[in-house]
Amino acid sequence: MEDTDVSRGGSLADAIADELRADILSGRLASGVRLVEEALARRFGVSRMPVREALTQLDSEGFLTTVRHKGATVSTTLRKDSRELLQVRRGLEVLAAQLAAENRGGAVAGQLADATGHDPTGHDAERAPAETPMSFHELVAVAAGNDQLREMLTTLNRRVAWGLGHDQQTSVTDHSALVSAILSGASVQAGYLMDEHLRRDERRFNELYDLD
């Protein structure tokens, strides 16, 4: 196995988690295999602390099952869990989009417009998308105005973040249409657009990680 590479940024624990995640997804680490901290520390040439942090991260993502006094084993239900979590995520994101539209973007309406280059005056002037403190989906969750929903989405997205790659151009187009619906108060349309957007993500996710 190649040496763990942290030169691209991130912590040593992140780099170890990346390698172990890749091993699990590829099948090099099979379901039910026990991961021993001491053995992994020797493999990566590090102390046990970053290994422990990496295992904790992978456990939070659903890749591992950790039992007290027994340690961590590779999850036997990763594919099933991932598929179910993505379905739950879509349902909550659709609700967030609908509530955000009812609030017409709420306190972050301006940031939603900035993130997609949407013209709030309705004159359709072309504007370049701007950097915002939060991601698009975080902004929608805030715009929904429901703290419990926002907290659930934060936890859920953390569990599936490892596989949530996007087609950048499609995402920009989808996000722009969503913002138009949200800022105009079209809750039904916003919910529909969010559903379609995330279904595309799920199909890409399933194809990439063979989760059919």
Side-chain angles (χ1 to χ4, degrees), residues 77-91:
T77 61
L78 175 62
R79 285 171 168 75
K80 176 177 179 291
D81 292 347
S82 297
R83 182 164 50 245
E84 291 177 352
L85 285 170
L86 286 169
Q87 291 170 345
V88 172
R89 170 182 177 255
R90 173 160 42 90

Side-chain angles (χ1 to χ4, degrees), residues 32-91:
V33 168
R34 184 169 176 239
L35 300 183
V36 180
E37 285 184 11
E38 185 176 355
L40 290 172
R42 287 198 301 270
R43 167 185 165 180
F44 292 111
V46 298
S47 69
R48 293 175 64 170
M49 181 59 69
V51 170
R52 187 173 300 128
E53 292 173 359
L55 295 181
T56 298
Q57 179 179 332
L58 292 173
D59 179 89
S60 72
E61 294 172 352
F63 283 90
L64 305 178
T65 300
T66 304
V67 179
R68 188 175 176 82
H69 303 308
K70 292 185 178 180
T73 58
V74 177
S75 172
T76 59
T77 61
L78 175 62
R79 285 171 168 75
K80 176 177 179 291
D81 292 347
S82 297
R83 182 164 50 245
E84 291 177 352
L85 285 170
L86 286 169
Q87 291 170 345
V88 172
R89 170 182 177 255
R90 173 160 42 90

Side-chain angles (χ1 to χ4, degrees), residues 50-201:
V51 170
R52 187 173 300 128
E53 292 173 359
L55 295 181
T56 298
Q57 179 179 332
L58 292 173
D59 179 89
S60 72
E61 294 172 352
F63 283 90
L64 305 178
T65 300
T66 304
V67 179
R68 188 175 176 82
H69 303 308
K70 292 185 178 180
T73 58
V74 177
S75 172
T76 59
T77 61
L78 175 62
R79 285 171 168 75
K80 176 177 179 291
D81 292 347
S82 297
R83 182 164 50 245
E84 291 177 352
L85 285 170
L86 286 169
Q87 291 170 345
V88 172
R89 170 182 177 255
R90 173 160 42 90
L92 294 180
E93 291 274 17
V94 167
L95 175 59
Q98 292 170 333
L99 293 175
E102 291 177 10
N103 293 332
R104 294 180 181 266
V108 293
Q111 291 185 55
L112 281 167
D114 289 342
T116 57
H118 182 81
D119 179 16
T121 67
H123 295 150
D124 295 324
E126 291 188 7
R127 297 197 305 155
E131 291 291 331
T132 56
M134 291 178 280
S135 72
F136 177 79
H137 287 274
E138 288 173 328
L139 287 171
V140 173
V142 172
N146 185 312
D147 290 339
Q148 298 302 315
L149 177 59
R150 181 184 180 186
E151 184 176 334
M152 283 189 282
L153 279 170
T154 297
T155 300
L156 189 55
N157 281 319
R158 186 181 301 120
R159 287 198 62 183
V160 297
W162 57 271
L164 294 181
H166 300 284
D167 179 316
Q168 187 63 35
Q169 186 55 51
T170 299
S171 290
V172 168
T173 302
D174 287 357
H175 291 174
S176 180
L178 269 162
V179 167
S180 293
I182 289 170
L183 298 185
S184 64
S187 61
V188 173
Q189 182 184 19
Y192 172 80
L193 290 171
M194 182 65 84
D195 183 80
E196 288 296 299
H197 172 56
L198 293 183
R199 281 183 188 274
R200 278 192 283 274
D201 278 356

